[in-house]
């Protein structure tokens, strides 16, 4: 049976890539603040850009329905509210019944400001009137079996359900390092004397990108030409231009006047190319280089652009909201963003309380300049619960009661209610999905980011962790007892509590084992528990080495390597944790054999060691995009760890110091060889996930 219709609260998973939507009048909270900024942005965003016609937008929404639920293509009618009779001056969607609907006709009418609102309304209805669940394909996919047959769709209340956006904009994308100021030296011509040869960390291998000084008149000319050429190439489709000139790129001086001149020149170049231009800028620099960007420097940059002509992405607001410490970005409009993921790593992690309340707190704060919500993750297809909740905040005007929300979420995700699953999600909410330590989560578990160090350089007092391990709530501090050269895997929760959640998942297996979403979550939670255990085993091995305990070293080495093999077997039981599809997808894009080789090399390199290594020095960003994928563990991470521990054991037996450089030579050569490999990996799962997970739970965790 379907769940009862919920109270009219905004629940939405909108994973459409949308930068701009129709801009209404500012909400009441914002109107009391920088109204002039809202007005300027609203006017600029409208500008002269082409907007799709109502018919085109209605067809686009119908296309979403046709791809998602083709059997119900005639069951819904979509209508753009072009005259504002439904939404007035706001962005909204409205769900209502179609009078006289029959078995072969439309039953539900969805009206909205744009096609985005129409698709949002469709998803809202499927979720909360039909009990459906829509997830990324690689996190279980769409669960639509609960949707009644055409002609039998649940009716909404007679007056319909209308949901308004509390803020007008959505943002979805991590733009990376984009700038209009970086020019190739050969194109600069007469401005060559006003350029600076730039390097990365002083390394001549990454040289020489020329930066044209903004004080040079040609700077604005080139910027204008760039905008004009972009409009010629792609059409007059936007007035928003992303430019992150100082993202992880510190200005040569902290003099406010100089910083202001840079900002002014950048915007002048934009506006010469498009008079309605709005500068969209990541706010990451204010967090990553906070020592430089103090109040005078921030104001100099933010106020160098006319009011309403800049929008800042508060990129890491889910953990480190800059709006709070900058007086609402000193009056400049901003978008509250969730960053969440680095490198596309696979790790269960989230801050559900922050997501459920942060955007509301920001919007309702005094003199708020918040104009939207966004998601800026570096990788997708993981932690579906986090992204579903964050997406709903686009339509939420009130804070979410997360525990109640999770009960509905788990019902829809697995297609039925289950007491054990509800209890498990209650635990996960207070552990894995309640990270409050303020640390950016980038998976550094020792299996996937193996430390590039000599054990002799590590503090011999690793055993200090024994006395701290009882303080399970603060388990992350254990690794701080080790030398700073040893990476610190992030651990912000009680492992024992997470294992209890896993046990509850396993108890529910007899009822839910056929569910793809359950299987994905079960494999992911089992992987997480075993990976955190492996971190402890690694430290135990190093501790044994330092104590010259060869038996202990052999025991813990064997267990660490065995964990890698067993986790690989676990991951192989689900299609969504395989290396093979990643490589085959890359190769399928090739037009020639040479392209095929290049694309496969790129795909292998991207998830392993980025190619700035030498024969004796790993890439500084090795394992940045590490993945827990079957095939990658056995063929890449296992040989790496095995080579290290083999040398460690031999050195202990021969009473010799560990030869780090020799291990590096061996390992880096293997890594480069693997990246150029052509061996095939499985693209389909093997084994039963529930059986394997139960077996590994008994072996390691019970």
């Amino acid at each position: 049976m379907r769940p009862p219709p919920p109270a009219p609260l905004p629940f939405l998973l909108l994973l459409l890539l949308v930068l701009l939507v129709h801009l209404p009048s500012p909400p009441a909270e914002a109107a009391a603040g920088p109204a002039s900024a809202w007005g300027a942005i609203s006017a600029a965003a409208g500008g002269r850009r082409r907007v799709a016609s109502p018919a085109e937008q209605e067809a686009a929404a119908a296309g979403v329905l046709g791809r998602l639920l083709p059997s119900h293509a005639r069951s819904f009618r979509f209508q753009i509210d072009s005259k504002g009779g439904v939404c007035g001056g706001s962005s909204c969607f409205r769900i209502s019944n179609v009078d006289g609907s029959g078995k072969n006709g439309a039953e539900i009418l969805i009206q909205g400001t744009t096609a985005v609102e129409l698709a949002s309304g469709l998803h809202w209805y499927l979720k909360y009137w039909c009990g459906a669940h829509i997830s990324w394909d690689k996190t279980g996919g769409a669960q639509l079996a609960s949707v009644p047959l055409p002609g039998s769709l649940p009716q909404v209340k007679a007056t319909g359900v209308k949901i308004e956006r509390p803020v007008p904009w959505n943002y979805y994308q991590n733009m990376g390092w984009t700038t209009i100021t970086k020019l190739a030296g050969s194109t600069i011509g007469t401005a060559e004397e006003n350029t600076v040869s730039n390097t990365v960390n002083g390394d001549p291998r990454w040289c020489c990108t020329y930066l044209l000084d903004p004080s040079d008149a040609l700077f604005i000319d080139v910027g204008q030409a760039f905008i004009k050429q972009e409009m010629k190439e792609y059409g007059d489709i936007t007035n928003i231009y992303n430019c992150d000139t100082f993202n992880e790129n510190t200005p040569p001086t902290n003099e406010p006047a100089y910083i202001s001149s840079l900002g002014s020149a950048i915007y002048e170049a934009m506006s010469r190319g498009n008079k309605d231009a709005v500068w969209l800028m990541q706010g990451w620099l204010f967090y990553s280089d906070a020592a430089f960007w103090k109040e005078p420097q921030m104001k100099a940059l933010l106020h160098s652009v006319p009011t309403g002509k800049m929008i800042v992405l508060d990129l890491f607001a889910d953990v480190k909201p800059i709006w709070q410490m900058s007086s609402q970005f000193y009056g400049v409009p901003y978008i509250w963003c969730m960053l969440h993921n680095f490198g596309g790593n696979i790790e269960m992690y989230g801050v559900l309380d922050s997501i459920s309340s942060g955007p509301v707190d920001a919007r309702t704060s005094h003199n708020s300049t918040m104009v939207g919500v966004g998601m800026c993750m570096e990788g997708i297809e993981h932690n579906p619960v986090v992204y579903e909740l964050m997406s709903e905040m686009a339509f939420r005007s009130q804070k979410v009661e997360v525990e109640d929300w999770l009960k509905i979420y788990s019902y829809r995700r697995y297609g039925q209610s289950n007491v054990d699953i509800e209890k498990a999600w209650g635990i996960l909410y207070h552990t894995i999905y309640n990270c409050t330590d303020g640390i950016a989560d980038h998976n550094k578990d020792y299996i996937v980011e193996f430390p590039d160090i000599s054990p002799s350089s590590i503090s011999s007092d690793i055993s200090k962790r024994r006395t701290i391990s009882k303080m399970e709530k603060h388990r992350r501090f254990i690794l701080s007892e080790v030398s700073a050269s040893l990476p610190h895997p992030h651990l912000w929760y009680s492992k024992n509590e997470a294992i209890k959640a896993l046990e509850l998942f396993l108890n529910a297996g007899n009822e839910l084992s056929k569910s793809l979403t359950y299987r994905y979550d079960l494999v992911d939670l089992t992987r997480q528990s075993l990976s955190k255990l492996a971190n402890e085993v690694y430290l135990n091995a190093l501790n044994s080495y330092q104590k010259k305990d060869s038996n202990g070293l052999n025991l813990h080495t064997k267990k660490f390597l065995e964990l890698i093999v067993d986790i690989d077997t676990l991951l192989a039981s689900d299609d969504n944790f395989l290396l093979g599809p990643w490589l085959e997808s890359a190769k399928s894009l090739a037009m020639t054999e040479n392209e095929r080789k290049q694309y496969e090399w790129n795909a292998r390199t991207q998830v392993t060691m980025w190619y700035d290594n030498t024969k004796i020095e790993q890439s500084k960003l090795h394992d940045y995009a590490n993945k827990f994928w079957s095939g990658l563990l056995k063929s890449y991470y296992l040989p790496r760890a095995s080579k290290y521990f083999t040398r460690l054991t031999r050195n202990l037996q021969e009473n010799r110091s560990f030869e780090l450089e020799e291990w590096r030579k061996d390992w880096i050569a293997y890594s480069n060889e693997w990246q150029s490999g052509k061996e095939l990996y499985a693209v389909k799962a093997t084994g039963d996930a529930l059986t394997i997970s139960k077996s590994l739970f008994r072996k390691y965790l019970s």
Side-chain angles (χ1 to χ4, degrees):
M1 59 180 290
R2 67 183 180 87
L9 296 174
F11 288 86
L12 168 72
L13 173 61
L14 178 57
L15 291 175
L16 301 173
L17 191 152
V18 178
L19 177 60
L20 296 173
V21 295
H22 175 76
L23 291 179
S25 302
E29 295 91 337
S36 60
W38 276 84
I41 289 179
S42 180
R48 60 191 178 188
R49 67 187 179 93
R50 177 186 177 275
V51 177
S53 69
E56 289 174 312
Q57 296 189 66
E58 291 162 4
V64 172
L65 171 63
R67 293 187 294 275
L68 181 68
L69 204 61
S71 59
H72 290 67
R74 295 184 178 181
S75 300
F76 294 85
R77 182 187 304 163
F78 298 100
Q79 185 180 87
I80 291 292
D81 180 35
S82 56
K83 296 183 179 179
V86 173
C87 298
S90 67
S91 292
C92 85
F93 62 79
R94 181 175 182 270
I95 306 169
S96 59
N97 305 317
V98 175
D99 294 335
S101 59
K103 188 171 183 178
N104 296 317
E107 302 168 68
I108 300 296
L109 170 65
I110 300 177
Q111 299 164 291
T113 315
T114 72
V116 175
E117 279 74 31
L118 295 182
S120 302
L122 171 65
H123 188 211
W124 167 279
Y125 176 81
L126 293 176
K127 283 172 67 172
Y128 291 101
W129 268 258
C130 301
H133 174 74
I134 301 170
S135 180
W136 284 304
D137 285 347
K138 285 184 70 65
T139 59
Q143 309 302 307
L144 300 170
S146 62
V147 180
L149 294 172
S152 305
L153 290 180
Q155 299 284 284
V156 301
K157 63 183 182 181
T159 56
V161 175
K162 175 183 171 182
I163 304 297
E164 294 185 4
R165 290 182 182 272
V167 285
W169 285 10
N170 279 358
Y171 180 87
Y172 179 86
Q173 199 169 11
N174 191 308
M175 298 296 290
W177 300 275
T178 308
T179 174
I180 66 169
T181 64
K182 292 188 176 180
L183 309 171
S186 60
T187 67
I188 292 175
T190 60
E192 188 169 353
E193 63 183 27
N194 260 345
T195 65
V196 178
S197 177
N198 194 31
T199 65
V200 178
N201 294 331
D203 191 332
R205 291 179 301 158
W206 306 110
C207 178
C208 300
T209 299
Y210 288 96
L211 305 181
L212 181 60
D213 193 308
S215 66
D216 193 295
L218 195 57
F219 181 94
I220 293 175
D221 292 342
V222 173
Q224 176 183 358
F226 181 91
I227 297 295
K228 291 291 188 183
Q229 182 61 36
E230 184 179 59
M231 294 170 67
K232 179 181 178 181
E233 183 74 19
Y234 298 107
D236 194 5
I237 58 174
T238 185
N239 299 318
I240 309 297
Y241 299 94
N242 172 244
C243 182
D244 297 317
T245 309
F246 306 122
N247 191 25
E248 301 182 8
N249 181 19
T250 305
T253 174
N254 65 359
E255 174 57 45
Y258 175 77
I259 294 172
S260 181
S261 70
L262 293 180
S264 296
I266 291 169
Y267 184 73
E268 180 69 15
M270 289 182 186
S271 61
R272 289 273 189 92
N274 181 345
K275 66 179 179 61
D276 297 315
V278 173
W279 179 356
L280 180 71
M281 183 184 74
Q282 288 189 17
W284 175 253
L285 70 168
F286 302 134
Y287 163 76
S288 65
D289 199 3
F292 178 90
W293 293 99
K294 303 298 185 182
E295 181 176 344
Q297 290 74 33
M298 287 184 68
K299 284 184 173 179
L301 180 58
L302 295 172
H303 293 168
S304 67
V305 178
T307 301
K309 294 296 187 176
M310 174 183 279
I311 306 171
V312 181
L313 300 176
D314 199 352
L315 208 72
F316 203 22
D318 51 323
V319 176
K320 296 288 185 182
I322 301 300
W323 69 267
Q324 290 181 340
M325 49 76 65
S326 65
S327 300
Q328 308 278 352
F329 287 94
Y330 304 111
V332 173
Y334 71 94
I335 295 176
W336 194 103
C337 294
M338 179 189 77
L339 179 50
H340 185 259
N341 178 269
F342 294 86
N345 297 156
I346 297 174
E347 174 154 58
M348 296 178 72
Y349 157 83
V351 196
L352 295 184
D353 281 343
S354 173
I355 295 168
S356 66
S357 62
V360 177
D361 288 339
R363 177 178 56 83
T364 58
S365 60
H366 180 65
N367 281 338
S368 175
T369 58
M370 175 184 166
V371 297
V373 294
M375 296 188 287
C376 305
M377 57 282 190
E378 289 187 355
I380 61 173
E381 298 175 329
H382 53 79
N383 291 288
V385 65
V386 172
Y387 293 92
E388 178 142 359
L389 179 58
M390 183 63 226
S391 298
E392 292 186 3
M393 301 314 293
F395 284 89
R396 272 201 169 273
S397 58
Q398 303 294 325
K399 297 179 182 180
V400 178
E401 294 295 333
V402 178
E403 283 205 68
D404 293 339
W405 181 88
L406 283 171
K407 291 178 182 178
I408 301 173
Y409 170 84
S410 64
Y411 179 99
R412 292 186 299 98
R413 182 156 173 81
Y414 308 125
Q416 64 185 78
S417 61
N418 182 282
V419 174
D420 287 324
I421 284 293
E422 285 189 9
K423 291 179 180 178
W425 271 107
I427 294 173
L428 293 177
Y429 165 42
H430 293 292
T431 54
I432 287 176
Y433 290 112
N434 188 37
C435 181
T436 58
D437 60 14
I439 297 175
D441 188 68
H442 196 167
N443 196 332
K444 293 183 178 296
D445 287 345
Y446 293 134
I447 287 177
V448 293
E449 187 170 320
F450 199 80
D452 179 36
I453 56 171
S454 169
S456 61
S457 68
I458 303 173
S459 166
S460 61
D461 208 7
I462 295 177
S463 59
K464 274 189 178 181
R465 74 191 193 279
R466 307 292 185 191
T467 60
I468 304 174
S469 63
K470 296 178 182 178
M471 300 172 61
E472 197 67 35
K473 284 180 68 177
H474 304 290
R475 198 73 174 88
R476 63 185 180 274
F477 295 121
I478 291 169
L479 299 179
S480 67
E481 296 299 322
V482 184
S483 165
S485 62
L486 185 65
H488 296 180
H490 192 193
L491 186 58
W492 61 97
Y493 60 90
S494 163
K495 291 190 306 177
N496 289 338
E497 288 297 304
I499 290 171
K500 287 181 184 178
L502 174 57
E503 187 172 16
L504 289 166
F505 257 84
L506 291 171
N507 292 343
N510 290 338
E511 288 187 26
L512 301 178
S513 60
K514 300 299 183 183
S515 165
L516 296 179
T517 44
Y518 166 80
R519 185 177 71 188
Y520 173 89
D521 291 345
L522 174 65
V523 170
D524 205 18
L525 183 54
T526 307
R527 172 210 57 75
Q528 178 107 350
S529 299
L530 295 177
S531 177
K532 299 307 178 186
L533 172 63
N535 292 338
E536 293 300 305
V537 175
Y538 169 87
L539 292 176
N540 289 336
L542 262 59
N543 192 46
S544 295
Y545 173 84
Q546 292 180 337
K547 291 181 176 180
K548 300 187 183 301
D549 177 6
S550 58
N551 290 333
L553 177 59
N554 290 335
L555 175 68
H556 298 307
T557 294
K558 179 182 178 183
K559 187 174 182 179
F560 187 83
L561 300 179
E562 197 169 340
L563 273 163
I564 297 178
V565 174
D566 284 342
I567 295 174
D568 189 284
T569 300
L570 168 73
L571 299 174
S573 67
D574 190 285
D575 290 339
N576 303 304
F577 294 95
L578 304 178
L579 171 64
W582 168 258
L583 298 181
E584 295 306 314
S585 176
K587 290 186 286 186
S588 69
L589 299 173
M591 302 292 289
T592 66
E593 184 57 30
N594 284 338
E595 280 188 354
R596 182 181 174 88
K597 292 177 181 178
Q598 181 65 42
Y599 292 174
E600 179 170 8
W601 181 89
N602 284 340
R604 286 170 175 254
T605 300
Q606 198 267 348
V607 298
T608 54
M609 178 158 54
W610 294 0
Y611 212 66
D612 60 335
N613 62 280
T614 67
K615 290 183 178 181
I616 59 172
E617 185 177 350
Q618 293 196 72
S619 164
K620 292 182 179 180
L621 287 176
H622 70 89
D623 300 312
Y624 181 89
N626 64 66
K627 300 289 188 294
F628 271 98
W629 283 342
S630 177
L632 191 58
L633 268 73
K634 274 189 179 179
S635 71
Y636 190 83
Y637 299 137
L638 178 63
R640 174 169 60 182
S642 181
K643 289 174 182 292
Y644 184 86
F645 283 119
T646 297
R647 286 182 175 274
L648 210 61
T649 301
R650 186 169 64 243
N651 292 157
L652 185 58
Q653 291 171 345
E654 298 173 357
N655 196 27
R656 290 192 295 114
S657 298
F658 184 77
E659 298 170 320
L660 180 62
E661 192 168 296
E662 291 302 312
W663 175 72
R664 284 174 173 169
K665 286 181 182 178
D666 188 11
W667 163 242
I668 292 172
Y670 179 86
S671 179
N672 293 158
E673 179 183 350
W674 187 90
Q675 289 167 339
S676 299
K678 300 294 183 293
E679 66 277 9
L680 299 177
Y681 293 91
V683 295
K684 291 294 182 182
T686 56
D688 180 77
L690 180 59
T691 301
I692 294 170
S693 185
K694 285 182 175 180
S695 175
L696 295 180
F697 184 89
R698 289 191 298 267
K699 181 176 180 178
Y700 292 109
L701 303 172
S702 63

